[in-house]
Amino acid sequence: MFEFQSVNMGKKLKIFILYAKLLLDFAIDFFFSLYWDKRKKPIPDLESKHAILKESATALAKKIRNKELKSEDLVRAVVERIKEVNPIINAIAADRYEAALTEAREVDRLVAVGLSEQEWQKKPFLGVPFTTKESQAIKGMPLTMGLWSRRKEVASEDSEAIIRLKNAGAIPIGSSNLPELLVWQETRNLVYGMTNNPHHTGRSPGGSSGAEAALTASYATTISLCSDLGGSTRMPAFYCGMFGHHPTPGSTNLRGVFFRNGDEESMFSLGFIAKHVEDLAPLTKIVAGDKAKGLNLDKDVDIKNIKFYYLESTNDVCVSSVRAELKGAMKRAISKITQELTTADAPQPYHHEGFNHMYVLWKYWMTKEPDNTALLYTNNTTEANGILELIKKVCGLSKHCLFSVVRLIELQFLPAVDSAWAEKLTKEFKDDIFTKLGENGVLLMPSAPHVAPYHYSCLLRPFNFAYFAVVNALKCPATQVPLGKDSQGLPLGIQVLAAPNNDGLCLTVARYLEKEFGGSVMACKSK
Ligand SMILES: *[C@@H]1O[C@H](CO)[C@@H](O)[C@H](O)[C@H]1NC(C)=O
Ligand SMILES: *[C@@H]1O[C@H](CO)[C@@H](O)[C@H](O)[C@H]1NC(C)=O
C-alpha cells in the first residue's frame, strides 16, 4: 500500500504504527471502562432444579429417548431460565413458549407410545428445544433483520434450516436479537435494543449471533442455530466463551436466511454455538443434509497424526495488535499439543502475505455477495445514500444504528478494492495455505486482537473482526475454541482452521482442547 524509500524507514513506521495502535487501544478501553464497569450486572447462578441445562443437546436427546427426561420438563426449564436471565442480557427477540410446550407434550406422547429405530434415526434431537437468530425465518415469527421499517414483518414460511431442525425433532422456542442488517460486532438495533455479554453486561457479546452466544453462556438455550458471513457464529462464541463451528461454505442450505434463496455462491454458512463440542457435528449434519458427507464430520484423527501450524499475529494495518493474554492462551495450547507430538512434528509457524490484508480481502469478497446493503437499508424500496443518512442520524431523524450508516458510507464513498489484486492474492493465499494444510493439517490462529469489547467501542475499532472474516474469504471451515479466562475473568480462545471439507479435523482439535483446557467458559456458577 505504501512505498518506502528504504526498508529501514518502512520498519520504523511499522513499529510506530504498532505502538500508536496499542496506545489507542488502551486509551479506548480505559475511557469506556469508566462508564461501563459501574454498570456490570451479574447473571443469576443456575439453580439445582435446572441442573439439566448443563448437559449437551446430544445428552438431553438421549435422555428423552431413554424416557429419563420429559421434553415438556426440558422446555419448561429452558423457558424458566430464559425468564431469569433475559432481563439482564436482553437476548430474546420473540418467543413461542406456549406453542413449544404443546409440541413438547406431543413429543412425550410419541415417546410413550414408542418410535421405531428408523424413526429415531430421523429424529436425533427429538424433544430438544432450540433458539435461532431472528434473521432465520420461522413461520409466524418476526423477521425484521433489526430494521425499524420491518418491525411488523412476520415470516410466512420456515427457512430450510428450520425445516430440517424440526424434521430432526427439535422444537423452536424463540428467536434472538441481532445487529441491524447483521453485519456488525455488537448485537443492537432499534426494534429490540441491545444485547449484553453475560460475562460483563457492559460489554458486547459480539455479532451478529451475539444473543445466541449470550443465551448459551447463561444456560438459557440448548441448541443455538447461527449464521456466519464475517465471523457471526465464531465471534460471539469467542466473546462469550463458547464453542462455535463455521462449516465449509456451500455445505449448509441458506434458503430463508437473510433474504437468501439458497442457490447463491457465497462465503456465508450456517453454524452452531454450543457449550459442548460433541453437539457441533450432529447439528451441522442436520443443516448440511445431503452435503454433510463431504464435511468429514466424523473423522476422528489421533492428535499425534495431525500436522499443526500456528499464526501468532499479523501485520494487517486495519486491525489492532493481538493482546498479550491472548497470545499467552495460544502459547499454552501450542505447548500442550507439543507434548503430545514427537519433536519432528512440533507445531510450525505459518504466515502468508494474505494475512496482512485480512479486512481488505473480506471487503472485496463481500462485493460478490448478493446483498445490496443500500437497498436493504430501506427495506428494499430505494437505495439509501450514506451521507444523507449520516445527516439524518446526527439530527436525530434516523431510525437506524450508527454502525449501519457508517457501513453504508464505507460501501458508497470509500475506494473500492482493486479486483485484480484481490483475486490474485486470494488465489495465491488459498493455494499456499491449503497445500500446506492438506487433509491432515490445521492452523491455530487468533480469534480477535482482544477479548469482548465494551459496548459502542467497536465503532472506534471497526475492523477488529478481520481474523474471523479472513476465514470467510478463504471459504474454509473453522471452529472457535474457548481457552479459559483472562485476568479480568473474560473468555480467551483461538480459532482452529482447516482446508475446505475438513470440518471434522477442526472438531477433533476442538474436542482435544476442550478436554485439556476446561471447555466452555460459563457466565455464572451452577448449583
Ligand atoms: C418491507 O418489505 C416487505 C417485503 O419484503 C413488505 O412486505 C413490507 O410491506 C415492507 N414494509 C415496509 C414498512 O415498507
Ligand atoms: C427486492 O425487490 C425486488 C423487486 O423489486 C425483488 O426481486 C427482490 O427479491 C427484493 N429483495 C428483497 C430482499 O426483498
Side-chain angles (χ1 to χ4, degrees), residues 77-243:
V78 175
V79 171
E80 284 171 9
R81 182 63 185 163
I82 289 177
K83 288 181 178 170
E84 268 172 23
V85 302
N86 199 53
I88 302 163
I89 57 175
N90 187 40
I92 294 292
D95 68 71
R96 54 187 304 282
Y97 301 148
E98 287 311 312
L101 281 165
T102 307
E103 286 159 21
R105 282 189 285 271
E106 186 52 39
V107 166
D108 291 332
R109 259 193 298 276
L110 221 73
V111 175
V113 173
L115 278 84
S116 69
E117 180 54 35
Q118 212 180 10
E119 286 169 308
W120 278 115
Q121 291 282 319
K122 282 189 192 149
K123 299 194 178 302
F125 288 99
L126 186 62
V128 183
F130 73 92
T131 50
T132 187
K133 190 160 57 176
E134 195 243 41
S135 50
Q136 184 82 243
I138 304 178
K139 188 177 175 182
M141 301 276 281
L143 192 64
T144 69
M145 318 289 165
L147 281 174
W148 181 255
S149 60
R150 291 181 58 89
R151 68 195 176 282
K152 291 178 185 140
E153 291 310 306
V154 169
S156 56
E157 55 181 341
D158 287 338
S159 72
E160 184 60 32
I162 297 295
I163 293 172
R164 291 179 185 187
L165 272 173
K166 282 182 174 174
N167 286 345
I171 302 174
I173 53 168
S175 63
S176 68
N177 202 10
L178 69 184
E180 178 180 7
L181 290 176
L182 272 74
V183 184
W184 189 237
Q185 305 159 66
E186 296 174 87
T187 297
R188 177 169 66 241
N189 57 64
L190 273 70
V191 185
Y192 305 117
M194 179 160 81
T195 299
N196 300 319
N197 189 315
H199 292 276
H200 184 317
T201 50
R203 292 176 183 262
S204 167
S208 63
S209 311
E212 283 303 318
L215 288 166
T216 308
S218 318
Y219 296 108
T221 186
T222 38
I223 295 176
S224 173
L225 172 62
C226 304
S227 59
D228 188 321
L229 177 61
S232 286
T233 299
R234 293 159 290 146
M235 181 206 305
F238 171 48
Y239 289 158
C240 294
M242 298 294 106
F243 292 92

Side-chain angles (χ1 to χ4, degrees), residues 36 66 229 270 298 449 514:
W36 288 113
N66 294 340
L229 177 61
L270 304 183
D298 294 325
E514 176 180 44

Side-chain angles (χ1 to χ4, degrees), residues 370-445:
D371 327 300
N372 179 340
T373 303
L375 251 181
L376 291 176
Y377 188 95
T378 64
N379 187 31
N380 210 15
T381 46
T382 56
E383 283 205 15
N385 176 298
I387 299 292
L388 281 178
E389 293 304 321
L390 181 62
I391 294 168
K392 277 197 220 162
K393 183 75 192 167
V394 171
C395 299
L397 300 172
S398 172
K399 283 290 187 188
H400 295 273
C401 293
L402 183 58
F403 60 77
S404 303
V405 180
V406 171
R407 179 153 166 71
L408 207 54
I409 292 175
E410 186 197 6
L411 289 172
Q412 294 178 329
F413 299 100
L414 262 54
V417 181
D418 180 330
S419 65
W421 171 86
E423 294 198 11
K424 181 165 173 280
L425 182 59
T426 308
K427 187 179 178 311
E428 288 168 2
F429 193 5
K430 282 181 171 174
D431 285 351
D432 191 73
I433 190 169
F434 297 146
T435 306
K436 258 236 158 98
L437 295 178
E439 302 296 305
N440 70 342
V442 297
L443 175 72
L444 309 180
M445 61 178 282

Side-chain angles (χ1 to χ4, degrees), residues 202-456:
R203 292 176 183 262
S204 167
S208 63
S209 311
E212 283 303 318
L215 288 166
T216 308
S218 318
Y219 296 108
T221 186
T222 38
I223 295 176
S224 173
L225 172 62
C226 304
S227 59
D228 188 321
L229 177 61
S232 286
T233 299
R234 293 159 290 146
M235 181 206 305
F238 171 48
Y239 289 158
C240 294
M242 298 294 106
F243 292 92
H245 182 63
H246 171 65
T248 304
S251 62
T252 59
N253 192 299
L254 298 173
R255 191 182 64 73
V257 189
F258 193 48
F259 307 116
R260 296 298 180 95
N261 58 35
D263 308 326
E264 303 94 347
E265 169 77 7
S266 176
M267 49 187 186
F268 209 174
S269 256
L270 304 183
F272 290 89
I273 286 177
K275 298 191 284 291
H276 305 273
V277 176
E278 72 168 348
D279 285 344
L280 293 171
L283 288 169
T284 303
K285 275 182 199 166
I286 290 166
V287 292
D290 295 343
K291 295 192 175 161
K293 277 199 194 80
L295 300 177
N296 296 302
L297 286 159
D298 294 325
K299 188 168 173 175
D300 194 13
V301 195
D302 190 325
I303 286 293
K304 291 182 175 60
N305 296 327
I306 296 178
K307 185 94 193 92
F308 285 90
Y309 294 90
Y310 64 91
L311 174 85
E312 232 185 20
S313 64
T314 71
N315 291 320
D316 189 325
V317 287
C318 300
V319 182
S320 303
S321 309
V322 177
R323 296 292 177 81
E325 287 195 80
L326 283 162
K327 284 188 178 167
M330 163 100 72
K331 282 206 183 96
R332 286 193 292 280
I334 292 170
S335 91
K336 185 73 215 164
I337 288 163
T338 308
Q339 291 169 20
E340 307 279 344
L341 310 171
T342 61
T343 31
D345 305 330
Q348 301 289 318
Y350 175 82
H351 192 72
H352 187 273
E353 176 63 9
F355 274 122
N356 294 338
H357 304 279
M358 299 186 290
Y359 177 68
V360 180
L361 288 181
W362 178 79
K363 179 179 165 172
Y364 171 72
W365 289 105
M366 277 298 276
T367 65
K368 304 291 172 198
E369 294 290 323
D371 327 300
N372 179 340
T373 303
L375 251 181
L376 291 176
Y377 188 95
T378 64
N379 187 31
N380 210 15
T381 46
T382 56
E383 283 205 15
N385 176 298
I387 299 292
L388 281 178
E389 293 304 321
L390 181 62
I391 294 168
K392 277 197 220 162
K393 183 75 192 167
V394 171
C395 299
L397 300 172
S398 172
K399 283 290 187 188
H400 295 273
C401 293
L402 183 58
F403 60 77
S404 303
V405 180
V406 171
R407 179 153 166 71
L408 207 54
I409 292 175
E410 186 197 6
L411 289 172
Q412 294 178 329
F413 299 100
L414 262 54
V417 181
D418 180 330
S419 65
W421 171 86
E423 294 198 11
K424 181 165 173 280
L425 182 59
T426 308
K427 187 179 178 311
E428 288 168 2
F429 193 5
K430 282 181 171 174
D431 285 351
D432 191 73
I433 190 169
F434 297 146
T435 306
K436 258 236 158 98
L437 295 178
E439 302 296 305
N440 70 342
V442 297
L443 175 72
L444 309 180
M445 61 178 282
S447 303
H450 46 61
V451 295
Y454 288 106
H455 289 310
Y456 295 95

